[in-house]
Amino acid sequence: MATGVPRRTLSLCPDCNREAAEAVTRGEATLAEFRDRPGIIEAQIVEEAGRILMRKACERHGPFEEVLSNHPAFFKRMESLGFGNDFNCADDEMVHNHGANSIRSGRGTYLIVDLTNRCNMFCSPCYMDANAANYVHELNMQDVTALFERANSFKPQREINVLFSGGEATLSPIFMEAVRHAKSMGFHRLHVATNGIRFVQEQDFAVRAKTAGLHGVYLQFDGVTEEKNSHRGIRNYMDVKRCALENIAAAGMKTTLQVTVVNGLNNDGVGDIIRFVADHIEKIHGIIFQPVMFCGRDEDISADERYARRYPVSQIAYDLQAQTSFGWEPMRDWFPVSAYGAFAQLCDILHPNAELGSLFNDIHPDHGMFSPVLVNAQTKEIVPVAKFFDVERFVRDIVEIADSGRRPAIIKSMVHLSLVRNFDSNNAPPQFGIAQLRELLADCVYRIAGSGPDWSKQAYAYNGAWKLVMISAMFFQDLYNYDLSTISNSTTPVSTQEGEINFCAYNAGHWRKIVEHLHQAASLPEWNRMHGRHPIYAKGKEVPMGAETSGKAELVQIESQQTPA
């Protein structure tokens, strides 16, 4: 795992990469030519004037510079706490064959399955430019079966979250069947990324999805007011989100909020989202803040606009500190997501005969970070865990204990001793002691290492008053800050007809455009003749909800850019 500042790496020229992809879709180049020559150029990561920058230059298209962080000390701290990579992949020739963009280590944490490129919204930002292509790319059950068979075909074999996505995954006519099939194949951590419209318009949709095997929902959510979500184009956006939360919870599932953060648009409202989570803690599992990535619909904006809207991932720690009042401290309370890997390693050692390894997150520390907080379900009080528990030292203890070579019983005792030595009862919240801390740890360990058909039920079993919420921030690269050294250990592979591809390579590096072009189901006019046009809610239209839905929602005319068929 490459870290350190300054350092040299390889990147992509945005213009060369775009030209190479367009040559394939025009029939002027082969997929193999794009795979081997995606537009690689040299890059440097440097510290200058209180910022971490990526600088690169193309002989044909000139220089590019992007800000990676406005907080160098924080950036370096995340790198210093990174856990490292998982095992290298084996027997994966048919899965990871994407040249310099190939995944080479780990299983990933989220296996993304894009069921369709269709969507019932037309908003910006949109990393895939939904509803703009003049073709439809949609998986059938034969495709889905092949993708999950391939997912089980290589090593390391680990537990993994499956995230059905799109477009809008719930528009796929095989959505429920795809969930059932994944469950039958032994995948239990099943989720969907959605705007929530289907969960609102069909009151039994959440129940049917839960019955099919769905565990949880990742819900698009950019703020707590209509103003902060106006860029999504729906007049009653917050009514839709609140109703979706209710219906999902009533079906026995929890929601993770997915927040796209755009500088100058909604970055001043991230603290309000934390308070919203506390107020709805019985329905919400966590939050993922995702700084905008400039690809898809936003790929061609001007350099000045890109600089103005860029939101470095480390900034979320400082904005949340400024916008909340419960004592968040960036340098104390945030950790790289890869720290989860220490617990995965420990669980693997404790369960050497497990059929699957534990969930292992080896995302690069520059790209993923989290802050664990406790939320009291009755009082809504929020307390950063690191305020009363030395998370950093506990993770170091876990690494040393896992490497000690002791018997499982002794290892468990050592872990409990570490809990005690890192717990500060004087700063812990009321009615929260070692017993409650052990319960939370057991719940976290089960989420990482647990398995079996009833995993979802057991993962929701914890009912303590203090809920552990992981506030996460995930940075997905675009062509302007693309670091090839971090692509090989993807935590979010996209499962496609052309193998599993790093999420950033797929969306920013133009693999999506090529895969969807090669495997399109029909041209858009052909699809509409066969299936009819689905409603698209945009330009301030209101989403009909629940019993009000007539099935004759107004169609919105969208100006689509013509993509070569």
Side-chain angles (χ1 to χ4, degrees), residues 225-436:
T225 65
E226 296 296 345
E227 177 189 4
K228 289 301 177 189
N229 295 286
S230 60
H231 55 288
R232 295 300 182 186
I234 293 177
R235 185 189 308 164
N236 57 337
Y237 185 94
M238 285 306 299
D239 289 340
V240 170
K241 302 305 172 179
R242 289 191 177 93
C243 184
L245 279 173
E246 292 290 340
N247 291 345
I248 293 163
M253 296 182 289
K254 283 198 169 185
T255 297
T256 297
L257 303 183
Q258 278 190 300
V259 184
T260 300
V261 188
V262 182
N263 191 50
L265 180 66
N266 65 337
N267 60 301
D268 59 345
V270 293
D272 292 333
I273 297 176
I274 301 298
R275 285 181 281 274
F276 182 92
V277 169
D279 290 340
H280 299 82
I281 189 60
E282 298 293 357
K283 304 179 183 72
I284 295 176
H285 174 64
I287 316 174
I288 299 181
F289 291 102
Q290 298 174 333
V292 60
M293 61 185 301
F294 294 105
C295 60
R297 189 157 297 149
D298 303 282
E299 179 179 322
D300 295 325
I301 65 173
S302 69
D304 287 344
E305 186 176 0
R306 190 175 71 251
Y307 295 149
R309 293 170 61 188
R310 177 71 73 188
Y311 188 83
V313 68
S314 59
Q315 188 61 42
I316 192 69
Y318 291 86
D319 282 348
L320 287 175
Q321 179 190 36
Q323 295 174 33
T324 58
S325 57
F326 52 83
W328 234 333
E329 297 180 12
M331 297 293 281
R332 181 195 68 188
D333 295 327
W334 289 85
F335 307 91
V337 171
S338 62
Y340 290 143
F343 297 93
Q345 181 191 32
L346 177 69
C347 292
D348 288 345
I349 290 172
L350 290 173
H351 305 285
N353 298 319
E355 184 177 349
L356 295 175
S358 303
L359 191 70
F360 192 106
N361 195 321
D362 62 352
I363 185 172
H364 195 280
D366 294 351
H367 299 163
M369 62 191 201
F370 75 102
S371 180
V373 302
L374 292 184
V375 179
N376 189 287
Q378 281 79 47
T379 66
K380 313 305 179 187
E381 181 183 357
I382 304 172
V383 181
V385 170
K387 180 180 180 180
F388 64 89
F389 185 73
D390 194 333
V391 177
E392 180 180 344
R393 190 169 66 173
F394 182 61
V395 172
R396 289 201 304 267
D397 287 350
I398 291 298
V399 173
E400 292 181 10
I401 292 168
D403 290 342
S404 68
R406 304 295 184 91
R407 297 195 308 273
I410 296 177
I411 286 177
K412 291 178 182 178
S413 297
M414 293 173 72
V415 170
H416 289 149
L417 288 173
S418 177
L419 279 179
V420 173
R421 89 170 185 127
N422 288 297
F423 179 69
D424 179 1
S425 60
N426 293 325
N427 285 312
Q431 288 80 51
F432 189 89
I434 285 292
Q436 288 73 31

Side-chain angles (χ1 to χ4, degrees), residues 462-475:
Y462 177 78
N463 62 357
W466 287 98
K467 310 295 185 183
L468 180 64
V469 180
M470 297 301 187
I471 312 298
S472 303
M474 305 286 284
F475 157 55

Side-chain angles (χ1 to χ4, degrees), residues 506-523:
Y506 191 62
N507 290 289
H510 286 110
W511 276 92
R512 176 188 287 276
K513 179 176 289 188
I514 292 173
V515 171
E516 290 188 350
H517 169 78
L518 294 176
H519 298 278
Q520 57 187 271
S523 69

